[in-house]
């Protein structure tokens, strides 16, 4: 085997190892939840937040030009929230700042992500998929309060 060929194999192998390590680090050490696509046959009729039990909520969110519903959400510190997301028109984005959540709102599909909020404060939600003239104003927020 040519020595340059061997170097190329070692370098690409190392790069793959770095990518895999970064993926596993985010998954286990930073506990980033990978979004799921949920089987679904309809739209979210009533965008709402449902309290399942103490510190566990389900949020059913719709995105449409150019707003999210429900608009603002408040949860107590320590809450785990399942976000179910769909779109009423075009593709929108759903990015929760400081949480590493990057979800797409797709018409006709339901995406789910679970997020644990252990610190108080405001987490802004922005649409990060270009969706038309009002895209830059499409945002919302989550407030985490002391219990
Ligand atoms: Cu919705 Cu950009």
């Amino acid at each position: 085997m040519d020595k340059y060929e061997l170097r190329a194999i070692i370098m690409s192998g190392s790069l793959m190892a770095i990518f895999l390590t970064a993926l596993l680090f985010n998954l286990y050490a930073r506990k980033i939840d990978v979004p799921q696509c949920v089987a679904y046959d309809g739209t979210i009729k009533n965008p709402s937040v449902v309290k399942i039990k103490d510190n566990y909520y389900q949020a059913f969110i719709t995105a449409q030009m150019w707003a999210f519903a429900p608009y603002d959400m408040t949860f107590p510190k320590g809450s785990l929230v399942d976000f179910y997301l769909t779109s009423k028109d075009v593709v929108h984005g759903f990015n929760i700042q400081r949480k590493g959540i990057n979800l797409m709102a797709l018409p006709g599909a339901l995406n789910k992500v679970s997020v644990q909020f252990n610190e108080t404060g405001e987490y802004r939600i922005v649409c990060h998929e270009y969706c038309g003239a009002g895209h830059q104003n499409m945002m919302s927020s989550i407030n985490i309060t002391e219990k």
Side-chain angles (χ1 to χ4, degrees):
M1 185 184 294
D2 185 78
K3 69 175 181 181
Y4 293 108
E5 198 177 8
L6 184 65
R7 280 183 199 169
I9 290 171
I10 290 170
M11 280 172 64
S12 40
S14 307
L15 210 54
M16 294 302 287
I18 290 169
F19 291 156
L20 188 65
T21 307
L23 185 78
L24 295 175
F25 174 76
N26 279 297
L27 202 56
Y28 295 107
R30 293 185 67 204
K31 300 219 185 311
I32 284 183
D33 196 13
V34 181
Q36 299 170 262
C37 191
V38 181
Y40 176 58
D41 58 353
T43 61
I44 294 174
K45 299 274 189 308
N46 299 306
S48 57
V49 173
V50 180
K51 181 176 182 175
I52 304 298
K53 59 180 183 179
D54 276 353
N55 285 349
Y56 178 45
Y57 297 83
Q58 289 183 332
F60 298 90
I61 298 168
T62 57
Q64 71 183 111
M65 293 174 182
W66 286 281
F68 295 102
Y71 178 65
D72 283 335
M73 291 168 275
T74 302
F75 304 104
K77 182 176 161 182
S79 292
L80 174 69
V81 185
D82 292 340
F83 292 96
Y84 291 89
L85 179 72
T86 190
S87 169
K88 288 184 167 182
D89 40 40
V90 299
V91 173
H92 296 276
F94 185 83
N95 175 255
I96 305 178
Q97 291 177 335
R98 295 188 286 128
K99 277 295 177 187
I101 298 300
N102 175 349
L103 209 57
M104 283 170 97
L106 302 167
L110 190 65
N111 287 327
K112 180 197 171 196
V113 70
S114 302
V115 186
Q116 177 78 40
F117 293 96
N118 289 330
E119 285 160 33
T120 56
E122 186 189 27
Y123 294 81
R124 296 212 318 157
I125 299 169
V126 294
C127 175
H128 62 306
E129 297 279 344
Y130 182 71
C131 56
H135 162 72
Q136 71 280 359
N137 299 320
M138 187 166 169
M139 55 188 73
S140 170
S141 72
I142 297 167
N143 283 294
I144 305 299
T145 57
E146 287 291 344
K147 292 171 197 195

